[in-house]
Amino acid sequence: MPLDPDALLRFLSGVHPYDALPEEALNALLPAFRTLHMAAGQDIYQYGKPLDGLYLIHSGGVAVRDRNNVQISQLGPRNSFGERGLGRDGIAVTSARTTADTLLLVLPKSDFLRLVETQPAAAKFFDRSRAARPKRPELATSPVETLMAREPLTCAPGETVQAAARAMAERRVSSICITEDGLLRGIATVRDLSGKVVAGALPFDTPISAVMTADPLSLPPSAIGSDVLHMMMERHIGHVPVTQGQRLVGIVTQTDLTRFQATSSAELVAGIAGAQDAQEMARVTARIPQLLVQLVGTGNRHDIITRLITDIADTATRRLLTLAEARLGPPPVPYLWLACGSQGRQEQTGVSDQDNCLMLDDSYSDEHEAYFKALADFVCDGLNICGYVYCPGEMMASNPRWRQPVGVWKAYFKGWIAKPSPEAQMLASVMFDLRPIGGTVSLFEDLQRQTLALAAKNSIFVAHMISNSLKHQPPLGLLRGFATIRSGEHKNTLDLKHNGVVPVVDLGRVYALQAKLSAVNTRARLEAAQAAGVLSNSGGRDLIDAYDLIAETRLEHQAAQIKAGEAPNNYLAPADLSDFERSHLRDAFVVVKSLQSAAGHGKGMLG
């Protein structure tokens, strides 16, 4: 029996986005709805079949499954579903079945499309605006392989500068790559020819290898446009070769980027790269909150956003290292500055402290301590001025414990793995997220490889790391509710960092240890674990989707706080979410909990 208009109006008035519609628009929409009574266990629609329209649950329950018949959501009263298929000629992209006696309200496709086209609140809720039209490609997130010229001009090291200049003029390009057997050896530009050959009055038969930049900076095809922009801005170069291993596969120049609009993240990188002190850098990093708002508002994926924001911290660190060396003189022995924590994983948001360390060449001696203490203090103090506040646990290069020769670092990791005490587990968790930022990278490469191999072979250590990864639990309560914080400043909120993102970060780290994966970024670890078979395809898909939803909810929360003039944090009140958002967020937490359970019960990592 259909609902009478008054009952339907009362119900819709308590459901978003209908509660945000003008009274006239809501009243006009009422006749379009039809009711559908279904018993438990009935199919509402199936994947690939035509959809009747948008479904809204009045009472009862519905399980939504993907094309592989894996349940992705359990919905209750006031939840909508089916909207994704209405953007694809009315063909379902999921399947849905009742889990109890259910009363559904069905809004036909034509009325649904009219609703989202005319009512901004509905368009925002159902996200029709982005789904309905293709997104314009953006430089920051475009893969380098879509930007590069695939047949760069090349020559052999013994070619003369005159022949190289003639070839550049004929091709009308500003650079030439020097290769041997397809491997990149160097690059020469018009500036090299004018500044070194002409200005230096060199003979025209001078080998190009004499004026080229040997072993130039390069990027892999998997890099993204922001990597090119940031490298160009920071290093003051206009040509970036693209290599697969050492094999030259393309080149990106400033000319290749002119069809794209420069992103604000690149502007911040450029401002920091040219800054003369930490105070000048701080004026640039103060713009990061607005960058976060912009990136979230334009619909970028969370891992792209955090990568762009982390790039700014990386640039600030390298600039401070350069300024420190200018003040202190060249380092007495090779060193490497590394980031750990969220910077190490390229997962910084609007709330980040600093976590870093120094690895020193084993030729280091006590007489060098004053230099590296001054360098570490200079950089850590500068980062603090820039807004990357001191680590509360003093996990920074300014702490002598985390400023040691490579041999000491090897002993650290060996000891943590051999005797996995609670402190060792905590330190290993942080230090397994190390990523080189500036200095001699080779100091870390052997250490990372050896440590991963040593850790993977020690089943007791891995078991302790798994146990440690279960300490942060998703905030799931009884009866499909959330377990919110019970007291204090953040009472009745969810901690989207420690109970949302961190459980997935911890799982990703364990997968990386088990499979000896060198990836540090959490999403990259999950994808690599899935590819390596450490994480099953279904478990991997579910966990990545769950992580994406949790991380994006966190960023959207921070962006909303910034727009409201508040300092961003990680504490979200469930009441601020719609029923639809709460339901899907809880489903994401359930996925994480299930993968934690699989790890804790020794079922491998197959989810």
Side-chain angles (χ1 to χ4, degrees), residues 73-131:
S73 188
Q74 173 65 46
L75 305 178
R78 299 194 296 174
N79 284 163
S80 300
F81 60 98
E83 69 275 8
R84 287 177 58 207
L86 296 179
R88 298 178 54 179
D89 300 323
I91 302 300
V93 296
T94 57
S95 60
R97 173 178 291 188
T98 57
T99 57
D101 290 342
T102 301
L103 175 61
L104 298 170
L105 301 176
V106 185
L107 183 64
K109 177 182 177 181
S110 59
D111 296 284
F112 171 74
L113 294 177
R114 189 178 306 112
L115 173 67
V116 296
E117 288 169 1
T118 60
Q119 299 298 327
K124 181 178 179 181
F125 181 76
F126 293 113
D127 201 20
R128 299 301 302 163
S129 58
R130 279 186 286 166

Short mmCIF file of all heavy atoms in Angstrom, two decimals, residues 73-131:
data_model
loop_
_atom_site.label_atom_id
_atom_site.label_comp_id
_atom_site.label_asym_id
_atom_site.label_seq_id
_atom_site.Cartn_x
_atom_site.Cartn_y
_atom_site.Cartn_z
N SER A 73 28.22 -3.20 0.63
CA SER A 73 27.51 -2.32 1.56
C SER A 73 26.25 -3.01 2.08
O SER A 73 25.61 -3.80 1.37
CB SER A 73 27.13 -1.01 0.86
OG SER A 73 26.62 -0.09 1.79
N GLN A 74 25.93 -2.71 3.34
CA GLN A 74 24.67 -3.14 3.95
C GLN A 74 23.93 -1.87 4.35
O GLN A 74 24.40 -1.11 5.20
CB GLN A 74 24.92 -4.02 5.18
CG GLN A 74 23.67 -4.38 5.95
CD GLN A 74 22.70 -5.25 5.17
OE1 GLN A 74 23.11 -6.22 4.55
NE2 GLN A 74 21.42 -4.91 5.19
N LEU A 75 22.78 -1.62 3.73
CA LEU A 75 22.08 -0.36 3.90
C LEU A 75 20.79 -0.54 4.70
O LEU A 75 20.16 -1.60 4.65
CB LEU A 75 21.75 0.25 2.53
CG LEU A 75 22.92 0.45 1.57
CD1 LEU A 75 22.44 1.02 0.25
CD2 LEU A 75 23.97 1.36 2.20
N GLY A 76 20.44 0.51 5.41
CA GLY A 76 19.21 0.51 6.19
C GLY A 76 18.32 1.69 5.84
O GLY A 76 18.54 2.38 4.83
N PRO A 77 17.29 1.96 6.65
CA PRO A 77 16.34 3.04 6.36
C PRO A 77 17.03 4.38 6.13
O PRO A 77 18.03 4.70 6.77
CB PRO A 77 15.46 3.07 7.62
CG PRO A 77 15.50 1.66 8.12
CD PRO A 77 16.89 1.19 7.85
N ARG A 78 16.49 5.13 5.16
CA ARG A 78 16.92 6.48 4.77
C ARG A 78 18.18 6.47 3.90
O ARG A 78 18.69 7.52 3.56
CB ARG A 78 17.12 7.39 5.99
CG ARG A 78 15.86 7.59 6.81
CD ARG A 78 15.98 8.73 7.78
NE ARG A 78 17.00 8.49 8.79
CZ ARG A 78 17.38 9.39 9.70
NH1 ARG A 78 16.85 10.60 9.69
NH2 ARG A 78 18.29 9.08 10.60
N ASN A 79 18.69 5.28 3.54
CA ASN A 79 19.82 5.20 2.61
C ASN A 79 19.32 5.10 1.17
O ASN A 79 18.34 4.40 0.88
CB ASN A 79 20.69 3.99 2.91
CG ASN A 79 21.58 4.18 4.13
OD1 ASN A 79 22.09 3.21 4.67
ND2 ASN A 79 21.76 5.41 4.58
N SER A 80 20.03 5.78 0.26
CA SER A 80 19.74 5.70 -1.17
C SER A 80 20.74 4.77 -1.83
O SER A 80 21.86 4.59 -1.36
CB SER A 80 19.84 7.08 -1.83
OG SER A 80 18.93 7.99 -1.27
N PHE A 81 20.35 4.17 -2.96
CA PHE A 81 21.28 3.36 -3.74
C PHE A 81 20.79 3.29 -5.19
O PHE A 81 19.63 3.60 -5.48
CB PHE A 81 21.46 1.96 -3.15
CG PHE A 81 20.19 1.14 -3.07
CD1 PHE A 81 19.88 0.19 -4.05
CD2 PHE A 81 19.29 1.31 -2.02
CE1 PHE A 81 18.72 -0.57 -3.97
CE2 PHE A 81 18.13 0.54 -1.93
CZ PHE A 81 17.84 -0.38 -2.91
N GLY A 82 21.71 2.90 -6.08
CA GLY A 82 21.39 2.79 -7.50
C GLY A 82 21.77 4.00 -8.32
O GLY A 82 21.69 3.96 -9.55
N GLU A 83 22.19 5.10 -7.65
CA GLU A 83 22.45 6.34 -8.40
C GLU A 83 23.62 6.22 -9.36
O GLU A 83 23.66 6.88 -10.39
CB GLU A 83 22.66 7.51 -7.44
CG GLU A 83 23.94 7.49 -6.63
CD GLU A 83 23.81 6.69 -5.35
OE1 GLU A 83 22.78 6.01 -5.17
OE2 GLU A 83 24.75 6.71 -4.54
N ARG A 84 24.61 5.35 -9.05
CA ARG A 84 25.77 5.24 -9.94
C ARG A 84 25.37 4.73 -11.32
O ARG A 84 25.91 5.19 -12.33
CB ARG A 84 26.81 4.30 -9.32
CG ARG A 84 27.58 4.89 -8.15
CD ARG A 84 28.53 3.88 -7.54
NE ARG A 84 29.47 3.39 -8.53
CZ ARG A 84 30.05 2.18 -8.47
NH1 ARG A 84 29.76 1.36 -7.47
NH2 ARG A 84 30.90 1.81 -9.40
N GLY A 85 24.45 3.83 -11.37
CA GLY A 85 24.04 3.28 -12.66
C GLY A 85 23.24 4.24 -13.51
O GLY A 85 23.17 4.09 -14.73
N LEU A 86 22.65 5.25 -12.89
CA LEU A 86 21.81 6.17 -13.65
C LEU A 86 22.62 7.11 -14.52
O LEU A 86 22.06 7.82 -15.34
CB LEU A 86 20.92 6.98 -12.68
CG LEU A 86 19.93 6.13 -11.89
CD1 LEU A 86 19.12 7.00 -10.94
CD2 LEU A 86 18.99 5.37 -12.82
N GLY A 87 23.93 7.10 -14.35
CA GLY A 87 24.78 7.89 -15.24
C GLY A 87 25.29 7.07 -16.41
O GLY A 87 26.06 7.53 -17.22
N ARG A 88 24.88 5.80 -16.51
CA ARG A 88 25.37 4.91 -17.57
C ARG A 88 24.18 4.30 -18.32
O ARG A 88 24.00 3.10 -18.39
CB ARG A 88 26.25 3.81 -16.99
CG ARG A 88 27.50 4.34 -16.30
CD ARG A 88 28.32 3.24 -15.68
NE ARG A 88 28.66 2.18 -16.65
CZ ARG A 88 29.39 1.12 -16.36
NH1 ARG A 88 29.85 0.96 -15.14
NH2 ARG A 88 29.67 0.20 -17.26
N ASP A 89 23.34 5.14 -18.84
CA ASP A 89 22.17 4.71 -19.61
C ASP A 89 21.23 3.82 -18.82
O ASP A 89 20.54 2.96 -19.38
CB ASP A 89 22.62 3.98 -20.89
CG ASP A 89 23.47 4.86 -21.79
OD1 ASP A 89 23.16 6.06 -21.87
OD2 ASP A 89 24.43 4.36 -22.39
N GLY A 90 21.20 4.04 -17.52
CA GLY A 90 20.26 3.30 -16.69
C GLY A 90 20.61 1.85 -16.48
O GLY A 90 19.73 1.04 -16.19
N ILE A 91 21.89 1.48 -16.63
CA ILE A 91 22.32 0.09 -16.45
C ILE A 91 23.01 -0.05 -15.09
O ILE A 91 23.90 0.73 -14.75
CB ILE A 91 23.28 -0.35 -17.57
CG1 ILE A 91 22.60 -0.21 -18.94
CG2 ILE A 91 23.74 -1.78 -17.36
CD1 ILE A 91 21.34 -1.04 -19.09
N ALA A 92 22.60 -1.03 -14.32
CA ALA A 92 23.11 -1.20 -12.96
C ALA A 92 24.59 -1.57 -12.97
O ALA A 92 25.02 -2.45 -13.74
CB ALA A 92 22.30 -2.27 -12.23
N VAL A 93 25.37 -0.94 -12.10
CA VAL A 93 26.79 -1.26 -11.96
C VAL A 93 27.03 -2.07 -10.69
O VAL A 93 28.17 -2.41 -10.36
CB VAL A 93 27.65 0.03 -11.94
CG1 VAL A 93 27.55 0.74 -13.26
CG2 VAL A 93 27.24 0.94 -10.80
N THR A 94 25.96 -2.37 -9.96
CA THR A 94 26.00 -3.26 -8.80
C THR A 94 24.75 -4.13 -8.85
O THR A 94 23.92 -4.00 -9.76
CB THR A 94 26.01 -2.47 -7.47
OG1 THR A 94 24.86 -1.61 -7.44
CG2 THR A 94 27.27 -1.62 -7.34
N SER A 95 24.59 -5.00 -7.88
CA SER A 95 23.34 -5.72 -7.69
C SER A 95 22.85 -5.45 -6.27
O SER A 95 23.63 -5.09 -5.40
CB SER A 95 23.53 -7.23 -7.91
OG SER A 95 24.46 -7.75 -6.98
N ALA A 96 21.54 -5.60 -6.05
CA ALA A 96 20.97 -5.30 -4.74
C ALA A 96 19.90 -6.33 -4.39
O ALA A 96 19.09 -6.71 -5.25
CB ALA A 96 20.37 -3.89 -4.74
N ARG A 97 19.92 -6.76 -3.13
CA ARG A 97 18.95 -7.74 -2.65
C ARG A 97 18.50 -7.36 -1.25
O ARG A 97 19.30 -6.89 -0.44
CB ARG A 97 19.58 -9.14 -2.64
CG ARG A 97 18.70 -10.22 -2.01
CD ARG A 97 19.35 -11.57 -2.06
NE ARG A 97 19.43 -12.08 -3.42
CZ ARG A 97 19.83 -13.32 -3.75
NH1 ARG A 97 20.19 -14.16 -2.78
NH2 ARG A 97 19.87 -13.71 -4.99
N THR A 98 17.22 -7.57 -0.96
CA THR A 98 16.70 -7.26 0.37
C THR A 98 17.22 -8.26 1.40
O THR A 98 17.41 -9.44 1.10
CB THR A 98 15.17 -7.29 0.38
OG1 THR A 98 14.73 -8.59 -0.07
CG2 THR A 98 14.60 -6.22 -0.53
N THR A 99 17.47 -7.79 2.60
CA THR A 99 17.90 -8.67 3.70
C THR A 99 16.82 -8.80 4.76
O THR A 99 17.00 -9.48 5.76
CB THR A 99 19.18 -8.11 4.35
OG1 THR A 99 18.93 -6.78 4.82
CG2 THR A 99 20.34 -8.09 3.35
N ALA A 100 15.70 -8.10 4.55
CA ALA A 100 14.55 -8.15 5.46
C ALA A 100 13.33 -7.69 4.66
O ALA A 100 13.45 -7.24 3.51
CB ALA A 100 14.78 -7.24 6.66
N ASP A 101 12.15 -7.84 5.24
CA ASP A 101 10.98 -7.26 4.60
C ASP A 101 11.21 -5.77 4.44
O ASP A 101 11.51 -5.07 5.42
CB ASP A 101 9.72 -7.51 5.44
CG ASP A 101 9.32 -8.98 5.43
OD1 ASP A 101 9.79 -9.72 4.52
OD2 ASP A 101 8.56 -9.40 6.31
N THR A 102 11.07 -5.27 3.24
CA THR A 102 11.54 -3.92 2.92
C THR A 102 10.50 -3.12 2.14
O THR A 102 9.84 -3.65 1.24
CB THR A 102 12.85 -3.99 2.10
OG1 THR A 102 13.83 -4.70 2.86
CG2 THR A 102 13.38 -2.61 1.76
N LEU A 103 10.38 -1.85 2.51
CA LEU A 103 9.57 -0.91 1.74
C LEU A 103 10.52 0.09 1.09
O LEU A 103 11.28 0.78 1.77
CB LEU A 103 8.58 -0.17 2.65
CG LEU A 103 7.76 0.93 1.98
CD1 LEU A 103 6.91 0.38 0.84
CD2 LEU A 103 6.87 1.65 3.00
N LEU A 104 10.48 0.13 -0.24
CA LEU A 104 11.35 1.01 -1.01
C LEU A 104 10.55 2.13 -1.64
O LEU A 104 9.39 1.94 -2.03
CB LEU A 104 12.07 0.23 -2.12
CG LEU A 104 13.01 -0.90 -1.69
CD1 LEU A 104 13.44 -1.70 -2.91
CD2 LEU A 104 14.22 -0.34 -0.97
N LEU A 105 11.18 3.29 -1.76
CA LEU A 105 10.64 4.39 -2.54
C LEU A 105 11.51 4.51 -3.79
O LEU A 105 12.74 4.54 -3.71
CB LEU A 105 10.71 5.70 -1.75
CG LEU A 105 9.96 5.70 -0.41
CD1 LEU A 105 10.19 7.03 0.32
CD2 LEU A 105 8.48 5.48 -0.63
N VAL A 106 10.86 4.53 -4.95
CA VAL A 106 11.59 4.55 -6.22
C VAL A 106 11.31 5.86 -6.95
O VAL A 106 10.15 6.21 -7.20
CB VAL A 106 11.17 3.36 -7.12
CG1 VAL A 106 12.03 3.33 -8.38
CG2 VAL A 106 11.28 2.05 -6.36
N LEU A 107 12.40 6.59 -7.27
CA LEU A 107 12.29 7.83 -8.03
C LEU A 107 12.77 7.53 -9.45
O LEU A 107 13.94 7.23 -9.66
CB LEU A 107 13.17 8.91 -7.39
CG LEU A 107 13.11 10.31 -8.04
CD1 LEU A 107 11.71 10.90 -7.91
CD2 LEU A 107 14.13 11.24 -7.40
N PRO A 108 11.88 7.59 -10.45
CA PRO A 108 12.26 7.25 -11.83
C PRO A 108 13.47 8.06 -12.31
O PRO A 108 13.71 9.18 -11.86
CB PRO A 108 11.01 7.59 -12.63
CG PRO A 108 9.89 7.46 -11.65
CD PRO A 108 10.45 7.94 -10.35
N LYS A 109 14.21 7.46 -13.25
CA LYS A 109 15.45 8.07 -13.74
C LYS A 109 15.24 9.50 -14.22
O LYS A 109 16.02 10.39 -13.88
CB LYS A 109 16.04 7.22 -14.86
CG LYS A 109 17.29 7.83 -15.49
CD LYS A 109 17.82 6.99 -16.63
CE LYS A 109 19.03 7.67 -17.28
NZ LYS A 109 19.56 6.89 -18.42
N SER A 110 14.20 9.75 -15.01
CA SER A 110 13.99 11.09 -15.56
C SER A 110 13.77 12.12 -14.46
O SER A 110 14.30 13.24 -14.52
CB SER A 110 12.79 11.09 -16.52
OG SER A 110 11.62 10.66 -15.85
N ASP A 111 13.05 11.73 -13.42
CA ASP A 111 12.81 12.65 -12.30
C ASP A 111 14.08 12.85 -11.48
O ASP A 111 14.36 13.95 -10.99
CB ASP A 111 11.68 12.12 -11.41
CG ASP A 111 10.35 12.06 -12.15
OD1 ASP A 111 9.73 13.12 -12.34
OD2 ASP A 111 9.97 10.95 -12.55
N PHE A 112 14.87 11.77 -11.34
CA PHE A 112 16.14 11.87 -10.62
C PHE A 112 17.10 12.82 -11.33
O PHE A 112 17.72 13.69 -10.71
CB PHE A 112 16.76 10.48 -10.48
CG PHE A 112 18.17 10.51 -9.94
CD1 PHE A 112 18.42 10.78 -8.60
CD2 PHE A 112 19.26 10.28 -10.78
CE1 PHE A 112 19.72 10.82 -8.11
CE2 PHE A 112 20.55 10.31 -10.29
CZ PHE A 112 20.78 10.58 -8.96
N LEU A 113 17.24 12.65 -12.65
CA LEU A 113 18.15 13.51 -13.40
C LEU A 113 17.70 14.96 -13.36
O LEU A 113 18.52 15.88 -13.26
CB LEU A 113 18.25 13.02 -14.85
CG LEU A 113 18.90 11.64 -15.04
CD1 LEU A 113 18.87 11.25 -16.50
CD2 LEU A 113 20.32 11.63 -14.51
N ARG A 114 16.40 15.18 -13.42
CA ARG A 114 15.88 16.55 -13.33
C ARG A 114 16.20 17.15 -11.95
O ARG A 114 16.53 18.33 -11.82
CB ARG A 114 14.37 16.56 -13.58
CG ARG A 114 13.77 17.98 -13.72
CD ARG A 114 12.28 17.93 -14.02
NE ARG A 114 12.00 17.10 -15.19
CZ ARG A 114 11.36 15.93 -15.14
NH1 ARG A 114 10.94 15.46 -13.98
NH2 ARG A 114 11.15 15.24 -16.24
N LEU A 115 16.10 16.31 -10.93
CA LEU A 115 16.36 16.76 -9.56
C LEU A 115 17.81 17.23 -9.42
O LEU A 115 18.07 18.33 -8.90
CB LEU A 115 16.09 15.62 -8.57
CG LEU A 115 16.48 15.87 -7.11
CD1 LEU A 115 15.61 16.97 -6.50
CD2 LEU A 115 16.35 14.57 -6.30
N VAL A 116 18.77 16.44 -9.89
CA VAL A 116 20.17 16.80 -9.70
C VAL A 116 20.59 17.94 -10.64
O VAL A 116 21.58 18.64 -10.37
CB VAL A 116 21.10 15.59 -9.89
CG1 VAL A 116 20.83 14.55 -8.83
CG2 VAL A 116 20.97 14.98 -11.27
N GLU A 117 19.85 18.11 -11.74
CA GLU A 117 20.18 19.21 -12.65
C GLU A 117 19.65 20.55 -12.16
O GLU A 117 20.20 21.60 -12.50
CB GLU A 117 19.60 18.91 -14.04
CG GLU A 117 20.35 17.80 -14.78
CD GLU A 117 19.60 17.34 -16.02
OE1 GLU A 117 18.51 17.91 -16.30
OE2 GLU A 117 20.09 16.43 -16.71
N THR A 118 18.62 20.52 -11.33
CA THR A 118 17.98 21.77 -10.91
C THR A 118 18.21 22.12 -9.46
O THR A 118 18.01 23.28 -9.07
CB THR A 118 16.46 21.70 -11.16
OG1 THR A 118 15.90 20.60 -10.41
CG2 THR A 118 16.16 21.50 -12.65
N GLN A 119 18.65 21.16 -8.65
CA GLN A 119 18.81 21.41 -7.22
C GLN A 119 20.26 21.17 -6.80
O GLN A 119 20.74 20.03 -6.77
CB GLN A 119 17.87 20.51 -6.39
CG GLN A 119 16.41 20.72 -6.68
CD GLN A 119 15.96 22.15 -6.35
OE1 GLN A 119 16.46 22.78 -5.42
NE2 GLN A 119 15.01 22.66 -7.14
N PRO A 120 21.01 22.22 -6.46
CA PRO A 120 22.43 22.08 -6.09
C PRO A 120 22.66 21.11 -4.94
O PRO A 120 23.65 20.38 -4.93
CB PRO A 120 22.84 23.51 -5.71
CG PRO A 120 21.89 24.39 -6.46
CD PRO A 120 20.59 23.64 -6.50
N ALA A 121 21.76 21.11 -3.95
CA ALA A 121 21.95 20.22 -2.80
C ALA A 121 21.92 18.76 -3.24
O ALA A 121 22.71 17.94 -2.77
CB ALA A 121 20.87 20.48 -1.75
N ALA A 122 21.03 18.44 -4.17
CA ALA A 122 20.94 17.07 -4.67
C ALA A 122 22.16 16.74 -5.55
O ALA A 122 22.70 15.64 -5.48
CB ALA A 122 19.65 16.88 -5.45
N ALA A 123 22.58 17.70 -6.37
CA ALA A 123 23.74 17.47 -7.24
C ALA A 123 24.99 17.18 -6.41
O ALA A 123 25.77 16.28 -6.72
CB ALA A 123 23.96 18.68 -8.14
N LYS A 124 25.17 17.95 -5.33
CA LYS A 124 26.34 17.74 -4.48
C LYS A 124 26.27 16.38 -3.78
O LYS A 124 27.26 15.66 -3.69
CB LYS A 124 26.43 18.86 -3.44
CG LYS A 124 27.63 18.74 -2.52
CD LYS A 124 27.68 19.91 -1.54
CE LYS A 124 28.89 19.77 -0.60
NZ LYS A 124 28.95 20.88 0.36
N PHE A 125 25.09 16.03 -3.28
CA PHE A 125 24.95 14.79 -2.53
C PHE A 125 25.20 13.57 -3.41
O PHE A 125 25.89 12.63 -3.05
CB PHE A 125 23.55 14.69 -1.91
CG PHE A 125 23.33 13.44 -1.10
CD1 PHE A 125 23.88 13.31 0.16
CD2 PHE A 125 22.57 12.40 -1.61
CE1 PHE A 125 23.68 12.15 0.91
CE2 PHE A 125 22.37 11.25 -0.87
CZ PHE A 125 22.93 11.12 0.40
N PHE A 126 24.61 13.57 -4.61
CA PHE A 126 24.75 12.41 -5.49
C PHE A 126 25.97 12.51 -6.40
O PHE A 126 26.22 11.60 -7.19
CB PHE A 126 23.48 12.25 -6.32
CG PHE A 126 22.27 11.86 -5.50
CD1 PHE A 126 21.21 12.74 -5.37
CD2 PHE A 126 22.21 10.64 -4.86
CE1 PHE A 126 20.09 12.40 -4.61
CE2 PHE A 126 21.11 10.28 -4.10
CZ PHE A 126 20.04 11.16 -3.97
N ASP A 127 26.71 13.65 -6.30
CA ASP A 127 27.95 13.82 -7.05
C ASP A 127 27.73 13.64 -8.54
O ASP A 127 28.56 13.09 -9.25
CB ASP A 127 29.00 12.82 -6.57
CG ASP A 127 30.42 13.27 -6.94
OD1 ASP A 127 30.62 14.47 -7.19
OD2 ASP A 127 31.30 12.41 -6.97
N ARG A 128 26.61 14.14 -9.02
CA ARG A 128 26.30 13.97 -10.45
C ARG A 128 27.14 14.87 -11.34
O ARG A 128 27.42 14.55 -12.47
CB ARG A 128 24.82 14.25 -10.70
CG ARG A 128 23.88 13.34 -9.95
CD ARG A 128 24.12 11.91 -10.32
NE ARG A 128 23.96 11.71 -11.74
CZ ARG A 128 24.42 10.66 -12.41
NH1 ARG A 128 25.10 9.74 -11.77
NH2 ARG A 128 24.22 10.54 -13.69
N SER A 129 27.53 16.03 -10.82
CA SER A 129 28.21 16.99 -11.68
C SER A 129 29.51 16.43 -12.24
O SER A 129 29.82 16.62 -13.40
CB SER A 129 28.50 18.28 -10.90
OG SER A 129 29.29 18.01 -9.77
N ARG A 130 30.26 15.69 -11.40
CA ARG A 130 31.52 15.15 -11.89
C ARG A 130 31.31 13.88 -12.68
O ARG A 130 32.04 13.60 -13.62
CB ARG A 130 32.46 14.87 -10.71
CG ARG A 130 33.18 16.10 -10.21
CD ARG A 130 34.20 15.74 -9.17
NE ARG A 130 33.57 15.41 -7.91
CZ ARG A 130 34.20 14.81 -6.92
NH1 ARG A 130 35.44 14.48 -7.03
NH2 ARG A 130 33.56 14.53 -5.79
N ALA A 131 30.33 13.08 -12.30
CA ALA A 131 30.10 11.83 -13.00
C ALA A 131 29.50 12.05 -14.37
O ALA A 131 29.65 11.24 -15.27
CB ALA A 131 29.17 10.93 -12.17
#
